[in-house]
Amino acid sequence: MEKFSVAIIGGGAAGITAAISARRSGKPVAICEKMPQLGKKILITGNGRCNLLNDDTSSAHYNPASRNLVSSVFSRFGKADIVDFFNGLGLEIYCKEGRVFPMTNQASSVLKALEIELKRLSIPVELNFDVKAISGSKGAFILKSKNGAEMVSENIIITGGGKTYPALGSDGNAYELAKKVGHSVIAPVPSAVPLVLKDPLCHLLQGQKIFADVTSLIDGKAAGKASGELLFTKYGLSGTAILDVSEDISIAVNRHHSNDVVISADMVPFMDAKELENELERRIKAGFAPGDFLAGLLPNKFSAALSDLLRYDTAQMAAILKDKRFKVTGTRGWNEAEFTSGGVSAAEINAHTLESDMEKGVYFAGEILDVQGKRGGHNLAWAWASGFVAGLTGSN
Ligand SMILES: Cc1cc2nc3c(=O)[nH]c(=O)nc-3n(C[C@H](O)[C@H](O)[C@H](O)COP(=O)(O)OP(=O)(O)OC[C@H]3O[C@@H](n4cnc5c(N)ncnc54)[C@H](O)[C@@H]3O)c2cc1C
């Protein structure tokens, strides 16, 4: 049986990049991918456009526990290196408002560029190879698949991803491999995920979208803020502003079981409270009908849905519209989340090499680690950079 220098578990963004960097340094490398196809998740990123990088890769955009690791990895393979890497594969890219996309606006172009390079470098890809067990030690690890197939390798890089969109392959099973080599896994929760709550407004306004400033309050303290789309749904709230503040909320409700989680929405962010109060006063004086009272300030359906407002004076009405409170009871699940919060503890990984502190010759990269970036290209930036660094060092 051929013995590889590096075997990579998981052919997603991090695994493919790790394979390319390891192979470029001359070592025999193979990828084991449980699905019948590589990189399925890449295809759905950025709504099919793949927001592959952010212009600002500072560690401040990542969860505090991961920042040492993130800074160290980006100092070895940073934004300019990621751009050069893709340009070198023939992928033209552009940057809009800090977010980087392929010029084709097609995520499939990103995967294609990576696949061409895998082929050029003659990297063997074992599809339908679902790694279920790792035995041996540095110099001779044995990977065993669900079907009984085996692969032998001197080093391994585990890039099995998180738990989102499990039908695309990453369903959290790779955490078990990490646990077996001695790692702690911070309880994974879905992030960049819609919120579940019971409020009659959500039911009345389902399908309606507004632009709002949103603040999350956890155990009475402001946790996050975002401006953007607020979408009312039959189960609660969604939209970019909600996804952007959802990580702390998901950790609070799903990991810490907090029942004091609130969203405060400024539904009229383009006016301050006094201006809004004056405008509402003017409408009362002008004799606006109750069913039209908020017309032009908010979409038409809001006047009827918020008819209770008319019981209050205008200062109170303005205060409610600028600080509408929603008590959050939960989040939607893994099929609606963009990334995972939690994973293999960053504290147990060598920040320079990405080698495990628990088992020599085992490396980690990508979303399987407890590293979460904000939305906007930070998670793929992490996947490429950590994959590249793990591939470089894992093959030495
Ligand atoms: C809807 C959606 C949109 C997103 N959009 C963006 C975006 O625009 N920009 C951005 O930065 N991020 C985005 N993300 C997040 C980003 O896709 C992930 O952070 C990134 O793909 C993680 O890469 P990875 O290689 O670590 O894991 P994955 O891409 O999940 O790859 C892991 C691979 O490992 C395989 N695998 C798992 N276990 C095993 C095993 N035991 N044996 C063999 N193979 C195994 C899986 O099948 C999978 O192919 C989005 C995510 C979603 C769900």
Side-chain angles (χ1 to χ4, degrees):
M1 187 188 296
E2 184 179 1
K3 186 181 190 184
F4 293 98
S5 176
V6 186
I8 291 153
I9 304 177
I16 296 173
T17 319
I20 292 172
S21 79
R23 184 75 191 110
R24 282 181 183 173
S25 47
K27 299 289 167 60
V29 175
I31 299 178
C32 308
E33 167 55 52
K34 70 187 273 210
M35 300 298 282
Q37 192 192 327
L38 286 179
K40 286 193 93 167
K41 193 174 280 176
I42 294 172
L43 297 174
I44 61 159
T45 55
N47 282 326
R49 286 168 65 205
C50 188
N51 176 192
L52 61 95
L53 175 64
N54 193 285
D55 197 33
D56 178 0
T57 48
S58 106
S59 64
H61 298 292
Y62 294 82
N63 56 314
S66 74
R67 287 182 190 158
N68 267 349
L69 196 62
V70 168
S71 301
S72 170
V73 165
F74 282 138
S75 74
R76 294 193 67 190
F77 196 76
K79 185 181 71 179
D81 301 303
I82 297 173
V83 169
D84 285 352
F85 173 71
F86 280 110
N87 284 161
L89 300 184
L91 187 83
E92 295 300 324
I93 55 182
Y94 72 94
C95 181
K96 190 172 176 206
E97 291 160 4
R99 297 175 177 217
V100 178
F101 296 91
M103 200 61 96
T104 58
N105 278 321
Q106 285 187 329
S108 55
S109 302
V110 178
L111 182 57
K112 185 52 131 185
L114 293 165
E115 285 176 330
I116 292 170
E117 184 66 355
L118 290 175
K119 203 164 178 190
R120 189 186 73 80
L121 293 168
S122 307
I123 295 175
V125 176
E126 297 294 332
L127 297 171
N128 302 305
F129 195 117
D130 185 354
V131 179
K132 283 293 169 220
I134 301 169
S135 56
S137 55
K138 184 171 168 70
F141 286 109
I142 302 166
L143 309 184
K144 213 172 211 157
S145 85
K146 197 175 165 182
N147 307 330
E150 287 191 356
M151 183 181 286
V152 182
S153 180
E154 291 168 10
N155 300 287
I156 51 179
I157 305 179
I158 306 183
T159 56
K163 286 188 79 170
T164 63
Y165 284 72
L168 302 182
S170 34
D171 56 5
N173 79 92
Y175 297 135
E176 299 312 313
L177 300 175
K179 284 181 192 165
K180 279 186 193 140
V181 293
H183 282 275
S184 352
V185 173
I186 314 291
V189 298
S191 279
V193 65
L195 302 178
V196 174
L197 52 95
K198 280 203 170 64
D199 187 295
L201 210 52
C202 295
H203 184 72
L204 290 168
L205 291 173
Q206 55 183 286
Q208 298 287 306
K209 272 183 210 164
I210 57 171
F211 188 90
D213 287 349
V214 160
T215 306
S216 60
L217 302 155
I218 298 173
D219 300 329
K221 291 194 197 110
K225 281 182 192 297
S227 298
E229 195 180 273
L230 177 68
L231 169 66
F232 295 85
T233 69
K234 65 173 188 268
Y235 56 76
L237 295 174
S238 188
T240 55
I242 292 297
L243 300 185
D244 283 342
V245 297
S246 67
E247 182 179 352
D248 293 328
I249 292 180
S250 184
I251 291 171
V253 297
N254 294 321
R255 195 183 291 156
H256 302 312
H257 309 293
S258 169
N259 57 9
D260 183 8
V261 176
V262 170
I263 285 285
S264 156
D266 178 352
M267 301 200 290
V268 191
F270 47 89
M271 281 182 177
D272 67 26
K274 194 67 205 163
E275 285 168 334
L276 180 57
E277 188 185 333
N278 292 341
E279 173 59 16
L280 296 172
E281 196 76 55
R282 188 189 71 75
R283 288 170 180 237
I284 288 172
K285 286 191 182 134
F288 272 51
D292 296 333
F293 188 58
L294 298 172
L297 285 175
L298 285 162
N300 293 342
K301 282 197 173 172
F302 279 62
S303 298
L306 284 162
S307 58
D308 270 8
L309 270 185
L310 292 162
R311 293 192 287 141
Y312 300 101
D313 67 31
T314 49
Q316 288 168 320
M317 285 184 210
I320 292 169
L321 290 171
K322 295 211 54 83
D323 181 15
K324 170 69 188 147
R325 301 258 165 152
F326 299 92
K327 185 169 167 45
V328 178
T329 55
T331 68
R332 299 291 277 180
W334 293 108
N335 284 326
E336 293 174 55
E338 282 184 16
F339 62 87
T340 307
S341 273
V344 175
S345 170
E348 298 169 352
I349 305 294
N350 180 308
H352 186 66
T353 60
L354 294 177
E355 189 173 20
S356 157
D357 287 342
M358 308 297 169
E359 179 76 47
K360 292 291 147 216
V362 173
Y363 296 76
F364 288 91
E367 194 174 321
I368 189 169
L369 286 162
D370 179 29
V371 175
Q372 298 89 50
K374 303 264 175 262
R375 294 176 65 248
H378 298 290
N379 286 305
L380 279 172
W382 167 250
W384 316 124
S386 58
F388 203 92
V389 167
L392 270 184
T393 50
S395 57
N396 278 328

